[in-house]
Amino acid sequence: MQNRKISIAPSIMCADLCNLEKSVREIERVGIDTLHIDIIDGSFSPSMPLGIDTVKQLRKITNMDFDVHIMAKENEFFIQEMIDIGVEQITFHIESSVHIDRYVNLIRNSGAKVGIALNPATPLSVLDYVLPQCDTVLLMLINPGFATDKGEKQISYAVKKVKDLHRYIQEKGLSTRIEVDGRVSLESIPSLVDAGADILVAGSTSLFVKGNSLAENKQIMEKGISEGISLGEVVR
Ligand code: DX5
Ligand code: ZN
């Protein structure tokens, strides 16, 4: 896995939601160009950090790439809303989708990148027919909607699932990116990157770790990323 580009996608729900513009500027200042934006409907998962109009307002104040992660029952409604706002990637959950292929086409035809998200226990086989149309597969490493529950730990099979997905993508000769979301901590980054993760959703256990500045946490993350890449270069 040579010359890999691993990107950091800060989860804006973990920033100061009472001072969103200030949070966005702080993230821009440390040289990050992507925002991970969770849209949770309160029904697919018991949480609702950000609304559609919040995203509309954010769109007006920054040119950062919006990596939108929809956790909802009515996927088509939220997908269309995000297309109308103009975002770079739209990811929806396969577990709440009846018309998966339709949603993939809707997103692709809008010009946005297509992401499909899997809950922790969802097997990779659900991707069999749709993987070639995906730009990204997002693996939830915690149960979605429980990010603010400090008792919610990363699943024990996180690295195994990333490795399995990486192998699955390679076997199909695809270049689909793997996004990991949920307790992607400063400590777990090297093993997740070594396993094949390409996009790291950064929240309270990494970029927003209290006591350090964003710049300090970003530096620790980048150190973990290069550690993970060099692990992969070790001849096994
Ligand atoms: C979960 C959210 C993230 C994530 C945050 O869907 O996308 O907020 O859990 O990262 P951590 O888990 O490190 O706070
Ligand atoms: Zn997310």
Side-chain angles (χ1 to χ4, degrees):
M1 294 189 268
Q2 307 310 328
N3 55 18
R4 296 176 56 197
K5 181 182 178 324
I6 313 291
S7 44
I8 295 173
S11 176
I12 195 67
M13 71 173 263
C14 298
D16 177 357
L17 296 181
C18 293
N19 295 283
L20 261 184
E21 178 158 16
K22 179 170 160 286
S23 301
V24 168
R25 298 297 172 232
E26 282 170 2
I27 294 168
E28 286 174 331
R29 260 200 302 277
V30 296
I32 291 175
D33 62 7
T34 303
L35 275 188
H36 182 83
I37 300 174
D38 291 306
I39 299 289
I40 313 179
D41 66 356
S43 171
F44 175 83
S45 288
S47 169
M48 189 179 285
L50 293 160
I52 292 168
D53 289 318
T54 315
V55 184
K56 278 183 191 159
Q57 296 210 16
L58 281 173
R59 184 72 287 174
K60 290 181 196 146
I61 64 152
T62 179
N63 295 324
M64 293 177 87
D65 284 354
F66 284 7
D67 162 31
V68 175
H69 174 197
I70 297 169
M71 288 165 265
K73 293 237 175 97
E74 295 304 324
N75 281 306
E76 184 155 346
F77 166 72
F78 288 100
I79 288 168
Q80 197 52 61
E81 288 291 314
M82 294 301 119
I83 289 171
D84 295 348
I85 290 172
V87 299
E88 282 64 33
Q89 177 168 281
I90 302 172
T91 299
F92 63 92
H93 271 264
I94 208 156
E95 297 88 356
S96 58
S97 301
V98 177
H99 305 295
I100 299 156
D101 190 75
R102 174 177 165 77
Y103 302 155
V104 167
N105 295 333
L106 261 179
I107 298 168
R108 177 162 300 293
N109 295 340
S110 79
K113 283 191 169 52
V114 178
I116 286 189
L118 304 187
N119 281 341
T122 302
L124 299 178
S125 55
V126 296
L127 297 167
D128 269 359
Y129 293 103
V130 78
L131 189 63
Q133 285 83 43
C134 290
D135 297 286
T136 303
V137 173
L138 184 150
L139 294 183
M140 280 308 298
L141 303 183
I142 61 169
N143 293 291
F146 295 91
T148 50
D149 171 352
K150 286 307 159 212
E152 183 71 22
K153 302 284 177 238
Q154 192 170 87
I155 51 174
S156 58
Y157 46 92
V159 170
K160 175 174 171 18
K161 194 167 183 183
V162 175
K163 275 186 181 155
D164 290 348
L165 177 56
H166 179 73
R167 190 179 321 109
Y168 187 72
I169 290 167
Q170 284 195 313
E171 281 162 4
K172 290 185 177 280
L174 298 169
S175 56
T176 318
R177 296 179 305 171
I178 300 175
E179 183 163 359
V180 286
D181 186 352
R183 304 296 182 260
V184 178
S185 65
L186 298 176
E187 299 74 23
S188 66
I189 285 172
S191 54
L192 290 169
V193 167
D194 177 42
D198 303 295
I199 305 168
L200 310 177
V201 173
S204 65
T205 61
S206 53
L207 192 68
F208 296 100
V209 164
K210 297 210 182 320
N212 296 339
S213 69
L214 286 192
E216 285 162 344
N217 283 330
K218 178 171 176 267
Q219 221 170 16
I220 301 169
M221 291 186 76
E222 286 168 339
K223 189 167 163 296
I225 289 169
S226 33
E227 258 174 56
I229 291 174
S230 45
L231 280 173
E233 287 158 4
V234 171
V235 179
R236 284 193 172 81

